[in-house]
Amino acid sequence: MTYTRSLYLAGALLGSAFAQTATAQTATTSFGVTITIEDACVIVSATDLNFGTVGTLTDNVDAYSNIAVTCTEGAAYDIALDAGLGGGTSSSRVMTSAGNTIGYQLYQDADRTTVWGDTADVLSETGTGSEQSYFVYGRVPPQKTPPAATYTDTVGVTVTF
């Protein structure tokens, strides 16, 4: 009888081990992940335009700077340059020093034929989702040379999208 009892007990223990494994359960679920992208633009940088040092304004003085913009892929946008703080207009910009002025202009193209303005003469582009760079071509045309000084202006950049 002891032998039968031992077998019965061993069988019960073994059956109990299998029963625990067979009763293990799991639960699962899932969740959604979303993001909404809207049209947006960021002005990454706008470098200064420096015409350098000259003695007289008898010839064109040319220089260029760069504006970098990142816009949502497919977003249409315009880059406008205002008239500056020198008191000119977008079609006739001026740098100033102590009441004296030097006329200059900003252009969209290296040939300096398309003025870069703040309303009608804006640069229109479409975003790529990556940084896009644009040159600003500047020119000081021949004119009466004012007194020696450093002449400055500050031009605002606006991106409309």
Side-chain angles (χ1 to χ4, degrees), residues 12-148:
L13 288 174
L14 190 57
S16 168
F18 285 125
Q20 287 177 348
T21 304
T23 62
Q25 298 179 7
T26 61
T28 62
T29 190
S30 60
F31 61 92
V33 178
T34 62
I35 185 172
T36 301
I37 303 294
E38 62 184 8
D39 285 345
C41 290
V42 176
I43 300 172
V44 178
S45 64
T47 61
D48 290 341
L49 190 146
N50 186 339
F51 288 106
T53 302
V54 297
T56 61
L57 298 176
T58 55
D59 294 309
N60 287 330
V61 180
D62 292 339
Y64 65 90
S65 67
N66 185 277
I67 297 171
V69 176
T70 300
C71 292
T72 308
E73 183 176 344
Y77 64 94
D78 296 327
I79 302 174
L81 303 182
D82 70 17
L85 299 177
T89 66
S90 61
S91 62
S92 180
R93 293 176 168 94
V94 295
M95 293 178 276
T96 62
S97 176
N100 296 301
T101 63
I102 295 177
Y104 74 99
Q105 192 49 270
L106 303 175
Y107 300 91
Q108 297 177 27
D109 60 317
D111 292 334
R112 291 168 174 82
T113 57
T114 305
V115 171
W116 202 330
D118 57 355
T119 54
D121 298 315
V122 298
L123 179 70
S124 298
E125 290 292 336
T126 301
T128 63
S130 298
E131 183 175 307
Q132 295 172 273
S133 292
Y134 303 98
F135 286 108
V136 178
Y137 298 95
R139 173 169 284 166
V140 174
Q143 59 195 284
K144 179 183 174 192
T145 305

